[in-house]
Each structure stands twice: as structure tokens, then as C-alpha cells.
Amino acid sequence: RVVVVQLRQAQVPLFVTRGATINQFGTNFCLTLAGYSFAGTQKMQLRNKIKRARQAGLRVEELGPEGPRDLAIFQELSNISQHWLAAKGKPELDFMIGEIGSPNDTLRRIFLVRDATEQPVGFITYVPVWGERPGYLHDLTRRLPTAPVGAMELCNAYALERMRSEGVAYLHFG
């Protein structure tokens, strides 16, 4: 049995004619950042989680422009990732996820969530996307199991706002 991941739409008929079963593994979701808003009834729960995170004293910084991008902080990111994986209790699907990267990987943007005591509690990495819809891909998300409610929503909202202010056109989620 052969498993193929990330088959292009144009290739689907070829595989079907040869007896393959095609299942959609994920969907591509892309936000147009210009004019995006957190307003509206559909985003009420999201706004509430972000508010709770702020009330818990959480703040977000981008590594590089606002926070250190050195080996020490990358060790912190690895620690968060290890705690996340331990709490998950299942092996990581390496081929399906992004990576933390390294301090020299400056194309990868990393947004770090700190708690009220300035301890890192979570992070999200974003990688560049080129082509028809250039922007960034939400690549890897990790948080400590003890991170307050809304930590990752706050992180993503902060990154989205920063990218929008820079004129980034699209943010991809999958």
C-alpha cells in the first residue's frame, strides 16, 4: 500500500484512474489581512479568549524586533515544545508540522507569549508564502499545558495585526 501526501489537484484524475482512494487530508484556509476585523458575533468567543489572556497579564513579542533571538530563547522554545508533546501523549507527526528553526533562520517569524512574570508560555511560528497569495503560513503552535486560556489566540491576533500593519496581504492556516 502506498500513501501519497500533498497531491496537486491536477494530479487527482491520474490517481483515480489507477484505482487510488483520494481523501482530503486538510483544507487550505487563507485570510485576506486588508480589512480583516475581529468584530462580529462569529468572533465573540475569540475576543473573549483574547480579553481573558490580557487580564491574566499575558503579552506577546516577536523574536528579533522585540525580544532576543538567541540560543537561550530557542532552548525555551524547545522546552515549551517538549512539555506540549508530553501532555499530548502521542508521537509527533513530523511530516505534518513545522519546526522551531534556529536563531539564524530570520525568514521564520516567531511570536512568543510571556506570562505576567515574564516567563515564556507559548509561541507560534510563521513562514513566508509566495505565489498567487503571498504572505505567511501559521506553521507551528506550541504552549505549556498550564498556559492561561486565550494565550494562543492572543499570540495569533498580535501577529495578524503586526503583519497587517506591515502590508502583508495574506495569512494562511493550512
Side-chain angles (χ1 to χ4, degrees):
R1 185 177 266 227
V2 176
V3 175
V4 178
V5 179
Q6 293 185 330
L7 187 64
R8 295 185 185 277
Q9 186 64 41
Q11 297 169 318
V12 170
L14 174 67
F15 281 79
V16 169
T17 60
R18 287 173 172 70
T21 300
I22 308 294
N23 291 315
Q24 188 173 1
F25 205 50
T27 59
N28 187 26
F29 179 68
C30 176
L31 284 182
T32 303
L33 295 183
Y36 181 81
S37 170
F38 289 99
T41 319
Q42 290 181 328
K43 297 178 188 136
M44 183 173 58
Q45 286 184 333
L46 176 61
R47 288 192 309 274
N48 286 338
K49 285 183 179 184
I50 292 169
K51 180 181 177 185
R52 287 179 66 183
R54 286 186 177 128
Q55 288 173 336
L58 299 185
R59 70 172 187 84
V60 181
E61 64 186 30
E62 183 175 2
L63 299 185
E66 300 171 320
R69 192 177 177 99
D70 56 21
L71 289 175
I73 199 66
F74 274 77
Q75 183 58 53
E76 294 274 4
L77 300 178
S78 291
N79 290 341
I80 291 169
S81 190
Q82 289 169 10
H83 281 91
W84 183 85
L85 286 168
K88 182 179 166 190
K90 295 179 184 175
E92 189 164 59
L93 300 174
D94 302 28
F95 68 93
M96 290 291 300
I97 57 120
E99 56 190 58
I100 295 171
S102 69
N104 299 327
D105 181 6
T106 56
L107 291 179
R108 179 179 311 278
R109 296 180 77 170
I110 302 172
F111 290 81
L112 179 69
V113 183
R114 292 186 182 273
D115 67 13
T117 67
E118 291 298 308
Q119 293 304 304
V121 296
F123 66 91
I124 301 176
T125 69
Y126 301 85
V127 293
V129 172
W130 294 276
E132 281 182 36
R133 292 188 177 92
Y136 285 89
L137 169 70
H138 179 139
D139 191 43
L140 181 66
T141 301
R142 294 288 190 264
R143 68 175 179 81
L144 293 176
T146 56
V149 171
M152 303 324 292
E153 290 83 356
L154 176 65
C155 189
N156 203 49
Y158 184 90
L160 185 153
E161 291 295 336
R162 162 140 316 159
M163 290 177 199
R164 181 170 58 183
S165 75
E166 296 168 351
V168 172
Y170 298 99
L171 184 56
H172 299 268
F173 293 94

